[in-house]
RNA sequence: GGGCGCUUAGCUCAGUUGGUUAGAGCAUCUCGUUUACACCGAGAGGGUCGGGGGUUCGAGUCCCUCAGCGCCCACCA
């Protein structure tokens, strides 16, 4: 026999335990999934974290929830696959590496060249992938680590190529123009995310365009206003509103409405706007109307400086209430003008070279930079008298985040995915519930976004990503194109399955030949290139490969057994900001590639915000590394804490603190201190560094981790469970497995079984429906308040009783066994650790004892046994707990020392007697009560402190002879009486209300009546006691 | 500007289809180291459920409205 005292340590040392356990799981391949026709599969693919940086708490939450589902399903007997991996995150990762390159070596990517830069990024990826996977493992994520994928690995690349090739063949990808944010310094396009608007002092230049051949009564010239006069060189029209009168009318009525509602403070402002509008209608409307008619007649104006006639067009973009009411249209260099150009059908005139100088279209301004061109254009306009007023004005100018230079909107050739049919399919699959989205409200955003059916621009002017598998030659004459086609035909030969090409006609009538190759390293590449075709340098949008993630990771386009078995996946758990970018695209791509859905359900979990309500991010300094939480609180506490907070209505607000590395004091993070390189601990005055530390001196200081005390509850819970388990284990000496006859069990054991049955049901259903917070709460309350505070307490006297000991051990072992299983998905390490110790003292256990599995992780999920649920026992136990509570209350109010037993007499019904009589011993243990009498005729004591229990017909009488503090007791009773009277009055009023009695359901009225009569009884009893005490005290 | 949420104790949040006296954790106060646990136990104080209106016998819960906060999308010559 072993010495049970030494079996289980007094404390759960999570750091050592977790590492050892993770290793054992790993060795036993607990999380490895194989194709197994005997079992049903259950699959989740991880939302692949970006390799940009380390994981933060948002990932912590995301992966905790996935692991809870996966672990539950694994225990339920499914062949569970949780596919892990990371995302190459094109622009973000390239930007990070380029920034570091600049900082540490003062090099740009052009200095390195494409190949070398990509090599550097791969090195970065290796480093962060390792870090990320390490974080996931430390959290206990039971991914299948033998299957780790990366969105840029060979398998994903094959899927990307196959998909692009397929879409190209179906003519669902096409080449089009798109305005990109052009960084003239880095000579690259940057994504919208990397553009920041900087407010600057600028000017608003008014410029006149002469009307060509004005008729009498018509305006001789048109006045426009612009913040960027040099773009006039690329103008291809001047626009005016098609119905200026009505547009002004509408604005006027809106303003009028606003004036009525405006606060006193706003009123003068609104009034001013109205005045301006009125003036505008008087002075400008006439001209605008005429211009509008002229536009309808196809009249032209003369573009100054270049003397190029351009049309007057009518378009709603020209808002008559703004500026001069007319607007110049530069489709190639302004997003809005681009839209107008498309609507009206205008030429798109690019006037820029990639380096930001003007090209030949700019005539004599060719070669000038934009700032210089602006000065020249303004000066020349002034000279020829076409320059009007110059207003000072604050303007928002887009700047590149990376080079800090102004962005130029620049029209470039891009590849697009045609969305109409693809989007429609993805919408239909959600509409008909083939893919279910939880919580439901997120369906709308998904459907609305897809409903716009905007084509998806997929080219990115980057080096890090899947290079577009297109070779092309453009600017060809018709005959050149025909020749090239013949040459291509020869190369293609009979093999039309892996190579396709198209001939496009550009706006300028030139031809372009575009070839798409299906396979990587196709031998024909060089033949194609020798014909003068060049590979498109651009890469695909990161989301293109992410969209294939669920099937590409399983081997598609190969028809692998895994794909056949594990696909479609079961559920996707992700954050709401990528429902459109990612979720929607996975659905449509899966449908396009395989004709099936990628997953059956999508669960959208909340976001984690900091204490100021802001999203966490590294750039703000409020990001929390799960590892820091694990160091301080342990992995189980991290997981439980996150699950506890993950309700589906609210984002998680989590105040964060710095932890002083010297004294462990927590210092609240504020907007101010979160951007400091070093801080001083207010308690111990030690200095510590933060993530912003830059100087050598600061970096040398110990680093203060960013943590949150919100995990304390969870850490305490882990400790509580550990200690309850210790108690059980320390009392298992002499344990022998025995078959348990449930019907013959004493009440307290049947109560435990009943509760276990209920809790099992709640937890199982809760996981099924993604109610993670609810599941956590149910488990917390049951484990703490019922298993520990109640069952274990009751077990103490039973274990001391030789007649009851063996049975108690058997039931207790079963109870702990079940509890460990239920808690395992959310707290894998501590449960696994305890499971190991329990296996040593009670290797066979259960109601019909069986040998326990080596790991709780691979044990069988508990079943809710309907026959164990016993409503009347649960209700009776609630009564018992109320009696206990009542006695404790009076002990506290009378300040009775814990060692003093308190005589009690309990007056209650016959049926309550049946329950309470066998519980005498427990009343002593739990409440320090010596039970003198229980039953219908139990009498009050001479010096009585009565405790009447609402809604159950019980009076607890307490003999206070030894203890009584009359004043304290009287004040307690009077307070109680006041409370009772208040309630009674309320009930009486309610019951005297004719319409309540007649309209409310019978059972509600009955309930009120019976609770009123209980209250009245209690009042009488309390009044009697007050009287008695008063007499006695006099 | 459009959409979706949120507003409940000092703080962070629960509150199922409307139905006894609105709950939890943390924090605060009082008492307590009885051999699982002070990361503990017992108890207490603390809320006119953002404001206003409505529906109903009855509203934290349903409807309207106002205010504040957050997120997503669009837009700002």
């Amino acid at each position: 026999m072993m010495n049970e005292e030494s079996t289980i340590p007094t404390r759960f040392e999570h750091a050592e335990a977790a590492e050892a356990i993770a290793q054992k799981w790993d060795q036993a391949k607990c999380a490895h999934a194989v194709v197994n026709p005997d079992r049903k599969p259950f699959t989740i693919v991880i939302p692949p974290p970006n390799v940009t940086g380390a994981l933060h708490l948002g990932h912590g939450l995301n992966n905790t929830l996935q692991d809870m589902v996966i672990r539950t399903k694994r225990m339920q007997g499914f062949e569970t696959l949780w596919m892990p991996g990371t995302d190459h995150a094109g622009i973000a990762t390239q930007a990070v590496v380029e920034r570091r390159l600049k900082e540490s070596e003062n090099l740009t990517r052009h200095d390195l060249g494409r190949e070398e830069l990509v090599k550097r990024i791969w090195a970065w990826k290796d480093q962060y992938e390792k870090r990320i996977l390490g974080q996931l493992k430390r959290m206990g994520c039971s991914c299948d680590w033998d299957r780790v994928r990366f969105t840029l690995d060979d398998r994903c690349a094959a899927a990307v190529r196959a998909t692009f090739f397929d879409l190209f063949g179906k003519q669902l990808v096409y080449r089009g123009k798109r305005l990109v944010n052009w960084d003239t310094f880095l000579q690259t396009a940057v994504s919208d995310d990397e553009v920041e608007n900087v407010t600057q002092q600028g000017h608003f230049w008014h410029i006149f365009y002469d009307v060509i051949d004005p008729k009498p009564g018509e305006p001789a010239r048109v006045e426009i206003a612009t913040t960027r006069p040099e773009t006039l060189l690329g103008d291809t029209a001047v626009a005016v509103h098609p119905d200026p009168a009505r547009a002004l009318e509408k604005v006027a009525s809106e303003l009028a409405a606003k004036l009525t509602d405006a606060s006193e403070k706003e009123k003068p402002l609104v009034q001013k706007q109205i005045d301006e509008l009125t003036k505008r209608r008087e002075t400008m409307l006439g001209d605008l109307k005429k211009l509008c008619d002229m536009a309808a007649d196809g009249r032209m104006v003369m573009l100054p400086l270049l003397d190029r006639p351009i049309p007057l067009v009518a378009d709603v973009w020209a808002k008559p209430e703004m500026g001069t009411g007319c607007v110049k249209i530069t489709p190639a260099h302004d997003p809005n003008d681009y839209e107008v150009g498309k609507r009206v059908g205008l030429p798109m005139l690019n006037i820029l070279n990639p380096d930001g100088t003007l090209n030949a279209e700019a005539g004599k301004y060719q070669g000038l930079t934009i700032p210089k061109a602006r000065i020249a254009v303004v000066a020349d306009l002034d000279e020829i008298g076409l320059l009007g007023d110059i207003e000072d004005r604050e303007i928002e100018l887009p700047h590149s985040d990376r080079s800090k230079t102004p962005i130029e909107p620049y029209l470039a050739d891009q590849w697009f995915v045609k969305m109409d049919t693809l989007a429609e399919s993805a919408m239909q699959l959600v509409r008909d519930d083939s893919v279910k989205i939880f919580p439901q409200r997120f369906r709308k955003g998904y459907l609305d976004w897809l409903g716009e059916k905007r084509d998806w621009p997929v080219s990115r002017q980057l080096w890090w990503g899947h290079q577009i598998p297109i070779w092309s030659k453009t600017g060809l004459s018709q005959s050149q194109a025909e020749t090239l086609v013949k040459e291509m035909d020869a190369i293609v030969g009979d093999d039309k399955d892996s190579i396709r090409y198209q001939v496009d006609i550009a706006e300028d009538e030139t031809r372009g030949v575009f070839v798409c190759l299906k396979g990587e390293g196709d031998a024909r590449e060089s033949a194609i290139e020798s014909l003068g075709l060049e590979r498109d340098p651009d890469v695909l949008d990161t989301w293109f490969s992410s969209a294939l993630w669920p099937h590409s990771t399983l081997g598609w386009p190969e028809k692998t057994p895994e794909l056949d078995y594990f696909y479609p996946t079961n559920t996707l758990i992700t954050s709401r900001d990528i429902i459109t970018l990612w979720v929607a695209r996975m659905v449509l791509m899966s449908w396009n590639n395989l004709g099936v859905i990628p997953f059956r359900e999508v669960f959208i979990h909340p976001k984690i915000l900091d204490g100021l309500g802001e999203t966490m991010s590294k750039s703000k300094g409020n990001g929390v590394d799960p590892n820091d939480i694990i160091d301080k609180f342990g992995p189980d506490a991290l997981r439980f804490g996150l699950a506890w907070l993950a309700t589906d209505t609210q984002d998680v607000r989590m105040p964060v603190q710095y932890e002083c590395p010297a004294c462990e004091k927590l210092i609240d993070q504020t907007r101010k201190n979160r951007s400091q390189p070093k801080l001083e601990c207010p308690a111990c005055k030690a200095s510590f560094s933060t993530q912003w530390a830059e100087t050598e001196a600061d970096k040398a200081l110990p680093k203060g981790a960013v943590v949150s005390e919100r995990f304390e509850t969870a850490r305490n819970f882990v400790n509580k469970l550990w200690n309850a388990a210790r108690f059980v284990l320390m009392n298992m000496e002499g344990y022998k497995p025995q078959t348990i006859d449930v019907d013959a069990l004493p009440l307290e054991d049947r109560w435990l079984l009943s509760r276990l049955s209920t809790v099992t049901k709640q937890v199982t259903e809760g996981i099924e429906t993604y109610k993670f917070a609810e599941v956590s709460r149910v488990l917390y309350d049951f484990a703490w308040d019922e298993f520990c505070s109640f069952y274990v307490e009751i077990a103490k006297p039973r274990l001391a009783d030789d007649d009851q000991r063996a049975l108690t051990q058997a039931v207790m072992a079963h109870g702990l066994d079940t509890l460990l299983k239920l808690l395992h998905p959310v707290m894998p390490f501590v449960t696994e650790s305890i499971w190991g110790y329990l296996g040593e003292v009670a290797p066979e256990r259960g109601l019909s004892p069986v040998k326990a599995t080596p790991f709780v992780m691979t044990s069988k999920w508990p079943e809710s046994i309907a026959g164990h649920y016993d409503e009347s026992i649960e209700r009776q136990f609630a009564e018992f707990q109320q009696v206990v509570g009542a006695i404790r209350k009076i002990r506290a109010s009378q300040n009775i020392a814990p060692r003093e037993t308190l005589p009690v007499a309990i007056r209650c019904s016959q049926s309550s007697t049946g329950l309470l009589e066998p519980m005498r011993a427990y009343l002593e243990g739990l409440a320090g009560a010596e039970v003198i009498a229980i039953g219908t005729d139990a009498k009050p004591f001479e010096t009585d402190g009565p405790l009447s229990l609402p809604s159950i017909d019980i009076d607890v009488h307490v003999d206070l002879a030894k203890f009584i503090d009359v004043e304290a007791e009287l004040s307690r009773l009077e307070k109680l009486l006041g409370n009772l009277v208040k309630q009674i009055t309320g009930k009486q009023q309610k019951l005297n209300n004719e319409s309540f009695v007649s309209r409310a359901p019978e059972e509600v009225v009955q309930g009120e009546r019976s609770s009123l009569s209980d209250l009245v009884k209690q009042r009488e009893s309390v009044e009697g006691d007050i009287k008695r005490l008063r007499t006695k005290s006099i």
Side-chain angles (χ1 to χ4, degrees):
Chain A
M1 297 306 311
M2 62 194 58
N3 175 0
E4 67 275 4
E5 292 290 333
S6 66
T7 303
I8 179 163
T10 48
R11 293 180 66 89
F12 177 57
E13 299 295 344
H14 60 79
E16 308 157 26
E19 207 184 324
I21 288 166
Q23 252 180 32
K24 284 185 195 162
W25 285 337
D26 223 31
Q27 279 160 13
K29 295 219 171 263
C30 290
H32 183 57
V34 293
V35 173
N36 178 353
D38 296 337
R39 301 170 95 172
K40 280 170 96 174
F42 187 93
T43 315
I44 295 181
V45 292
I46 198 171
N50 292 348
V51 290
T52 327
L55 302 187
H56 52 71
L57 272 191
H59 298 104
L61 173 64
N62 176 252
N63 290 293
T64 294
L65 303 185
Q66 292 177 77
D67 199 41
M68 282 175 73
V69 173
I70 276 288
R71 284 183 183 269
T72 305
K73 291 291 166 183
R74 186 178 295 119
M75 290 169 73
Q76 286 173 345
F78 290 88
E79 186 70 26
T80 43
L81 168 61
W82 184 8
M83 177 72 72
T86 50
D87 192 299
H88 69 282
I91 190 139
T93 314
Q94 182 172 327
V96 169
V97 174
E98 278 191 69
R99 199 182 309 128
R100 288 189 37 129
L101 189 65
K102 185 79 192 163
E103 281 166 10
S104 58
E105 299 173 52
N106 197 24
L107 294 174
T108 70
R109 66 167 155 140
H110 299 290
D111 298 327
L112 280 189
R114 184 164 186 153
E115 205 175 317
E116 181 58 25
L117 183 85
V118 169
K119 219 167 105 188
R120 299 269 188 126
I121 306 175
W122 272 102
W124 172 277
K125 171 257 169 189
D126 288 341
Q127 183 191 340
Y128 273 91
E129 179 186 59
K130 205 173 144 199
R131 170 116 184 246
I132 288 165
L133 298 182
Q135 285 175 306
L136 291 173
K137 283 180 187 167
R138 248 197 113 186
M139 284 177 52
C141 295
S142 61
C143 301
D144 187 345
W145 299 112
D146 296 340
R147 295 179 189 271
V148 177
R149 301 243 67 91
F150 177 53
T151 55
L152 211 52
D153 67 18
D154 290 344
R155 192 169 258 201
C156 292
V160 165
R161 288 288 284 256
T163 305
F164 193 90
F165 183 80
D166 172 63
L167 295 174
F168 184 83
K170 289 174 177 164
Q171 308 214 330
L172 288 177
V173 288
Y174 68 92
R175 194 150 175 83
K177 298 273 186 197
R178 180 166 177 259
L179 274 181
V180 295
N181 304 307
W182 191 257
D183 182 326
T184 57
F185 180 77
L186 295 171
Q187 300 206 15
T188 180
V190 298
S191 73
D192 290 346
D193 312 336
E194 289 190 300
V195 175
E196 55 176 354
N197 283 323
V198 180
T199 306
Q200 287 193 336
Q201 266 318 313
H203 302 287
F204 208 38
W205 281 278
H206 289 246
I207 303 171
F208 300 103
Y209 290 21
D210 286 325
V211 173
I212 297 175
D213 301 330
K215 293 176 188 156
E218 285 181 352
R221 53 195 202 176
V222 182
E223 183 181 358
I224 58 93
T226 179
T227 55
R228 304 190 52 198
E230 73 284 1
T231 60
L232 138 173
L233 302 168
D235 283 2
T236 53
V238 168
V240 60
H241 196 280
D243 190 349
R246 220 171 110 196
L248 285 176
E249 199 59 52
K250 196 170 155 230
V251 178
S253 66
E254 280 168 8
L255 278 175
K258 201 171 157 192
L259 186 64
T260 10
D261 296 342
S263 64
E264 286 308 315
K265 217 168 91 190
E266 290 170 339
K267 267 186 179 153
L269 246 164
V270 179
Q271 189 56 53
K272 197 177 153 210
Q273 286 175 316
I274 293 178
D275 293 346
E276 276 174 13
L277 189 70
T278 313
K279 195 175 150 208
R280 181 177 287 265
R281 285 163 82 176
E282 284 160 6
T283 56
M284 289 168 58
L285 186 55
D287 276 357
L288 289 177
K289 272 183 174 161
K290 279 178 199 149
L291 288 168
C292 179
D293 292 340
M294 290 159 69
D297 286 347
R299 299 285 297 281
M300 312 285 271
V301 297
M302 184 61 76
L303 185 68
L305 306 178
L306 295 180
D307 292 333
R308 193 171 70 220
I310 56 173
L312 263 174
V313 297
D315 190 274
V316 290
W317 169 240
K319 294 175 186 151
E321 73 276 16
M322 306 276 288
T324 65
C326 296
V327 55
K328 61 194 269 313
I329 302 295
T330 322
H333 297 286
D334 180 276
N336 298 302
D337 292 6
Y338 177 66
E339 293 300 320
V340 176
K342 276 208 301 195
R343 273 199 294 270
V344 184
L346 297 173
M348 313 273 172
L349 197 61
N350 180 14
I351 58 168
L352 280 180
N353 291 314
D355 64 359
T357 59
L358 299 187
N359 66 19
E361 297 288 355
K364 69 170 181 169
Y365 303 97
Q366 181 176 5
L368 294 180
T369 62
I370 290 161
K372 282 187 179 151
R374 178 172 304 170
I375 293 165
V377 164
V378 171
D380 292 349
L381 284 171
D382 195 18
E383 201 179 306
I384 56 177
L386 291 180
L387 188 65
D389 296 341
I390 303 172
E391 301 172 45
D392 287 333
R393 184 169 168 146
E394 279 196 347
I395 49 172
E396 296 231 311
L397 207 58
H399 276 66
S400 166
D401 243 0
R402 288 156 58 196
S403 68
K404 307 292 174 198
T405 59
I407 287 290
E408 295 302 329
Y410 185 86
L411 202 60
D413 285 319
Q414 304 279 305
W415 289 97
F416 290 80
V417 173
K418 211 164 167 45
M419 287 292 274
D420 49 3
T421 55
L422 292 173
E424 189 53 47
S425 69
M427 290 171 79
Q428 190 51 35
L429 291 167
V430 163
R431 277 200 217 102
D432 68 15
D433 269 350
S434 302
V435 176
K436 294 197 185 75
I437 299 178
F438 302 94
Q440 264 229 332
R441 64 176 183 277
F442 291 112
R443 277 173 62 131
K444 188 174 160 51
Y446 173 101
L447 291 171
D448 287 353
W449 186 81
L450 280 173
E452 290 179 25
K453 299 187 178 174
R454 282 199 295 200
D455 288 346
W456 174 16
V458 290
S459 323
R460 294 293 119 101
Q461 290 68 44
L462 293 172
W463 292 349
W464 177 241
H466 293 279
Q467 194 174 352
I468 294 173
I470 292 279
W471 282 255
S472 65
K473 192 170 182 180
T474 54
L476 304 171
S477 69
Q478 190 171 345
S479 63
Q480 283 170 323
E482 281 166 5
T483 314
L484 190 55
V485 163
K486 281 195 191 110
E487 290 166 331
M488 277 304 304
D489 283 341
I491 290 173
V492 172
D494 292 333
D495 179 6
K496 293 198 166 56
D497 290 338
S498 61
I499 180 166
R500 291 205 178 105
Y501 67 91
Q502 300 173 358
V503 180
D504 285 0
I505 302 175
E507 277 163 6
D508 61 5
E509 298 294 313
T510 63
R511 269 54 169 176
V513 174
F514 297 89
V515 182
C516 185
L517 281 171
K518 188 177 184 181
E520 185 72 39
D522 192 304
R524 288 163 299 190
E525 279 183 16
S526 56
I528 292 166
E529 281 167 8
S530 71
L531 295 180
L533 282 83
E534 284 179 17
R535 176 127 189 212
D536 194 316
D538 288 357
V539 300
L540 288 166
D541 181 10
T542 303
W543 297 110
F544 195 95
S545 54
S546 312
L548 312 177
W549 184 248
H551 55 278
S552 66
T553 48
L554 286 167
W556 188 90
E558 306 281 320
K559 289 191 195 316
T560 61
E562 279 87 355
L563 190 64
D564 190 45
Y565 179 70
F566 289 112
Y567 201 80
T569 70
N570 294 77
T571 186
L572 180 85
I573 298 182
T574 190
S575 160
R576 79 172 95 89
D577 35 11
I578 50 178
I579 296 173
T580 52
L581 296 175
W582 191 43
V583 178
R585 283 165 180 168
M586 281 191 282
V587 175
L588 61 88
M589 281 300 201
S590 179
W591 192 254
N592 180 70
N593 287 350
L594 293 121
V596 294
I597 52 169
F599 28 72
R600 293 174 173 84
E601 299 190 344
V602 178
F603 174 67
I604 305 297
H605 60 70
K607 293 184 72 107
I608 298 196
L609 311 175
D610 71 3
L612 303 163
E614 297 180 25
T615 53
M616 287 188 175
S617 76
K618 205 167 183 181
S619 55
K620 281 187 207 147
N622 59 356
V624 177
D625 184 338
N627 278 349
D628 288 342
I629 301 296
I630 292 174
D631 287 341
K632 190 170 171 58
F633 299 104
D636 296 310
L638 168 73
R639 296 166 60 111
F640 190 85
L642 289 169
W644 172 268
L645 295 169
T647 64
D648 68 4
T649 50
Q650 292 223 60
D651 285 336
V652 177
R653 191 178 290 215
M654 182 170 296
V656 296
Q657 296 90 26
Y658 287 105
E659 187 185 31
C660 169
C663 69
E664 297 195 356
K665 184 179 164 62
L666 298 180
I667 300 141
D668 281 343
Q669 200 179 62
T670 61
R671 276 199 181 84
K672 200 173 160 200
N673 72 16
R674 76 181 181 195
S675 54
Q676 303 292 319
K678 75 168 180 180
L679 294 169
E680 182 181 286
C681 173
C684 70
K685 306 291 172 197
S687 291
F688 58 89
S689 66
T690 71
Q691 67 160 359
W692 306 110
E694 279 196 0
T695 66
E696 289 305 318
D698 287 350
K699 279 182 179 168
L701 292 169
K703 190 166 176 185
V706 177
V707 297
S708 174
E709 60 190 354
R710 303 298 306 280
F711 291 97
E712 278 177 5
T713 304
R715 183 252 268 131
N716 296 352
F717 182 46
V718 171
N719 178 256
K720 186 73 183 176
L721 180 71
W722 180 259
N723 279 296
R726 266 184 71 217
F727 173 83
V728 173
L729 294 167
M730 283 161 55
N731 284 284
M732 290 304 279
E733 195 184 347
Y735 168 83
K736 284 197 190 67
Q738 60 170 293
T739 303
I740 291 162
D741 178 0
V742 173
D743 294 331
L745 284 175
L747 279 176
E748 51 272 34
D749 289 334
R750 274 158 60 204
W751 170 79
L752 181 71
L753 295 183
S754 179
R755 292 297 302 135
L756 279 173
S757 159
T758 305
V759 169
T760 299
K761 189 164 178 235
Q762 288 174 312
V763 170
T764 309
E765 287 175 1
I767 298 257
E768 207 78 42
T769 50
Y770 309 107
K771 308 260 185 241
F772 298 101
E774 201 180 302
V775 165
S776 308
R777 272 159 232 271
V778 164
L779 285 167
Y780 182 93
D781 292 344
F782 171 72
W784 199 303
D785 297 336
E786 300 188 305
F787 189 76
C788 294
S789 297
F790 198 59
Y791 188 78
V792 165
E793 287 308 321
I794 279 182
K796 284 174 181 174
R798 298 176 69 201
L799 289 163
D801 177 349
D802 287 342
D803 293 341
Q804 295 190 63
R805 182 173 169 88
L807 183 64
T808 307
Q809 286 176 328
V811 176
M812 207 165 65
H814 168 70
L816 180 61
D817 177 282
T818 308
L819 182 58
L820 290 175
K821 287 174 174 177
L822 293 173
L823 279 166
H824 181 257
V826 64
M827 305 201 307
F829 293 108
V830 69
T831 50
E832 194 66 273
S833 182
I834 296 169
W835 185 268
Y837 293 114
L838 182 61
E840 287 173 25
V841 294
E844 284 181 46
R845 54 187 185 260
L847 299 176
S848 309
V850 291
K851 192 156 171 38
T853 52
F855 298 108
V856 64
M857 179 173 173
T858 49
S859 67
K860 190 167 170 299
W861 185 253
E863 274 178 47
S864 175
I865 300 165
H868 286 183
Y869 174 65
D870 189 328
E871 196 203 339
S872 78
I873 288 182
E874 291 201 16
R875 205 175 48 233
Q876 285 185 317
F877 267 73
E879 285 183 11
F880 172 70
Q881 281 168 315
Q882 284 191 58
V883 172
V884 171
I887 299 173
R888 284 172 171 175
K889 233 177 243 186
I890 199 164
R891 291 188 70 108
S893 72
Q894 286 286 326
N895 246 325
I896 298 169
R899 288 195 177 273
E900 301 274 12
T901 53
L902 182 63
V904 298
I906 303 166
R907 189 213 53 75
C908 60
S909 68
Q910 200 69 46
S911 69
S912 297
T913 312
L915 164 79
L916 293 173
E917 188 60 49
M919 307 291 275
R920 278 171 178 263
Y922 310 140
L923 281 172
E924 184 170 349
L926 293 170
E930 180 198 350
V931 180
I932 305 295
I934 300 181
T936 49
D937 52 355
K939 296 275 188 306
F941 296 97
E942 184 98 345
T943 44
D944 197 28
L947 301 152
S948 298
L949 300 177
S951 75
I952 52 174
D953 183 21
I954 295 181
D955 293 324
V956 182
H957 298 285
V958 192
D959 186 359
L960 294 172
K962 280 196 285 178
F963 313 107
I964 194 144
D965 172 343
V966 175
E967 283 309 308
E969 184 61 7
L970 271 176
S971 90
R972 188 185 73 85
L973 290 173
E974 307 234 333
K975 195 177 155 199
L976 186 65
L977 183 65
N979 200 342
L980 285 168
V981 168
K982 214 165 85 190
Q983 282 185 66
I984 287 167
T985 318
K987 297 248 183 258
Q988 282 170 338
Q989 272 173 6
K990 204 169 191 181
L991 284 163
N992 287 340
N993 183 341
E994 181 57 33
S995 48
F996 171 70
V997 178
S998 61
R999 295 197 198 200
E1002 187 55 28
E1003 62 208 52
V1004 173
V1005 177
Q1006 273 309 330
E1008 290 294 302
R1009 285 213 172 97
S1010 78
S1011 88
L1012 176 62
S1013 82
D1014 282 340
L1015 289 167
V1016 169
K1017 267 190 226 159
Q1018 288 171 49
R1019 185 188 62 192
E1020 286 164 3
S1021 157
V1022 172
E1023 279 169 347
D1025 284 300
I1026 290 177
K1027 202 178 279 175
R1028 213 161 40 236
L1029 275 175
R1030 283 230 168 91
T1031 331
K1032 198 175 159 56
S1033 66
I1034 295 163

